[in-house]
Amino acid sequence: VLGIVLLAMVPPLVTRFLLHLDLELGLRLGDARGMASDLAVSGFVAAALVWLAGRGGWGRWAGALVVVLWSLVNFANAEHVRELGAMAGVANTGYLADPTFVLGSVFGAAHPFVLLAVTGGCASAFWVGSRRHPVPALRGPLIGGLLLLVLVWLWPAGPDLASWRQSHVTIHQLSRLAGLGSSPASSTTIRRAASADLAGDLRVDPLPRGSNVLLVILEGVSGAYLPTIAASHGFEGSIRMPELDAVAARGLAWSSFVVQQRQTNRGEYALLCGDYPKLRTAEPKMTELAGEAGLDCLPSVLSDAGYAAVYLQAAPMAFMLKDQFMPAAGFHRSLGATALD
């Protein structure tokens, strides 16, 4: 039983260690809550594996499959955290059927050899161990998981650390599905921003007639990478982009703003249409409005002013239904990866 329990602990603890290593994060007290969450869920997974180990032939196959899925869930969540700074959600599973996502993200894992070693090693260890020591006892792993789950429930998450550092993705998602993971503070911030008095003088001079307008969206580039903006928050990161920081210093830049949420189809919608995205990870507004006519977005406004609006990106246009949304938003032409070949 102990061997199976330790085997179940490996994927969440390894992925948490890799995230701290990749993101160069020091340990805080809230991280202990995250590790307790990992161990709590691992206890329930271990209990399932112990039961399957005692079922004979089909149980060994099913248990090995559970080990593989358990490892993939943890590594997939780590990839999501690494790229977007937040835990993955149930809604993200739909992208597994999209070839663009699979080729760009699934086959672009940060630590493929560690993924293969942990997944294959844990599955093999279960297969060999369950053959030699079929065990039907469930009491130990279940009690341990329940005790740790109660500890996590009694230990409130702090506001100073990201949620992924203080919880496991399964606990986080179950809490959200149960309505326990709402964020009143975020809703209050949005309401205050939306009701702010925006009257006043223009901060920039009007463009001369006939000028071209170029909007460049840099995904995954944090303000923490710009020393001037990072300094305003008392932060000094290991990644610096001095040339982009110089551009920001010459122009108009904000060190704090209402976040447009994560994922391309949420952030780009907010940027192009001047509308807040959904605060929860429901179907994005870009998806809902794909194919609609006459959207009041920036490309439409520019078109009314006599501009020919063109959208260009390096990914396939069909991903996230951009091939349908961008024309609806007012772009005359929408060019994707095939245009860059």
Side-chain angles (χ1 to χ4, degrees), residues 260-272:
Q260 297 153 346
Q261 217 195 49
R262 299 170 177 88
Q263 292 186 321
T264 306
N265 51 358
R266 301 175 189 274
E268 281 197 21
Y269 170 79
L271 282 169
L272 293 174

Side-chain angles (χ1 to χ4, degrees), residues 28 63 123 168 191 284 333:
R28 302 271 295 277
H168 187 268
R191 286 197 297 271
R333 299 180 66 194

Side-chain angles (χ1 to χ4, degrees), residues 11-13 15-17 19-20 28-42 70 73-74 77-78 81 85-88 148-149 151-153 155-158 161-176 180-181:
L13 293 181
T15 51
R16 188 173 293 275
F17 170 77
L19 280 173
H20 277 263
R28 302 271 295 277
L29 181 60
D31 291 309
R33 185 183 189 274
M35 285 185 278
S37 300
D38 293 345
L39 297 179
V41 181
S42 297
W70 173 236
V73 164
N74 285 279
N77 180 65
V81 169
M87 286 184 278
L148 285 169
L149 193 61
L151 172 64
V152 171
W153 182 68
W155 186 347
L161 284 183
S163 56
W164 70 265
R165 296 180 64 175
Q166 304 182 74
S167 185
H168 187 268
V169 61
T170 54
I171 294 178
H172 181 71
Q173 287 303 311
L174 289 174
S175 298
R176 296 191 65 178
L180 303 176

